[in-house]
Amino acid sequence: MVDGRRTAYGTAKQSVELWRIATDKGQHGRAAEIVRVAWNRPLADVLVAMFHQAPHRAAELFLGEEETLGLLRDRDLRAEFLSRT
């Protein structure tokens, strides 16, 4: 079960990174597809937890990676992902 959660975390992390890349390139249709796929994957609850935990001051302790945490706190990214839940 732990390994499954680690894999889900890695997949969720890749989704937010890919969304940022697509958005920066102006590929908004691709970015929307990334969001759709992210929410339809097994264990999408890990992605929910990441967004829920990101605003907390202690998030660095359980999310770790500064770059990922920055993405999860990005207002535009949060708006796009959380509008689809």
Side-chain angles (χ1 to χ4, degrees):
M1 189 162 181
V2 172
D3 189 48
R5 292 292 173 168
R6 283 188 187 128
T7 299
Y9 173 81
T11 300
K13 178 183 163 200
Q14 290 171 351
S15 295
V16 298
E17 290 169 349
L18 288 173
W19 182 90
R20 171 53 60 207
I21 292 166
T23 300
D24 288 350
K25 291 181 177 181
Q27 299 171 340
H28 301 290
R30 183 168 185 249
E33 178 66 5
I34 290 165
V35 172
R36 186 192 68 74
V37 169
W39 287 124
N40 287 308
R41 287 189 173 161
L43 301 175
D45 61 315
V46 171
L47 184 57
V48 170
M50 291 167 69
F51 277 111
H52 179 72
Q53 295 168 352
H56 296 284
R57 284 183 288 170
E60 293 86 8
L61 297 174
F62 40 85
L63 290 173
E65 303 161 5
E66 189 174 320
E67 182 179 347
T68 301
L69 187 55
L71 289 169
L72 292 168
R73 289 177 172 169
D74 179 272
R75 183 179 39 183
D76 294 334
L77 187 143
R78 290 179 70 81
E80 183 66 25
F81 271 82
L82 298 177
S83 70
R84 312 264 180 160
T85 58

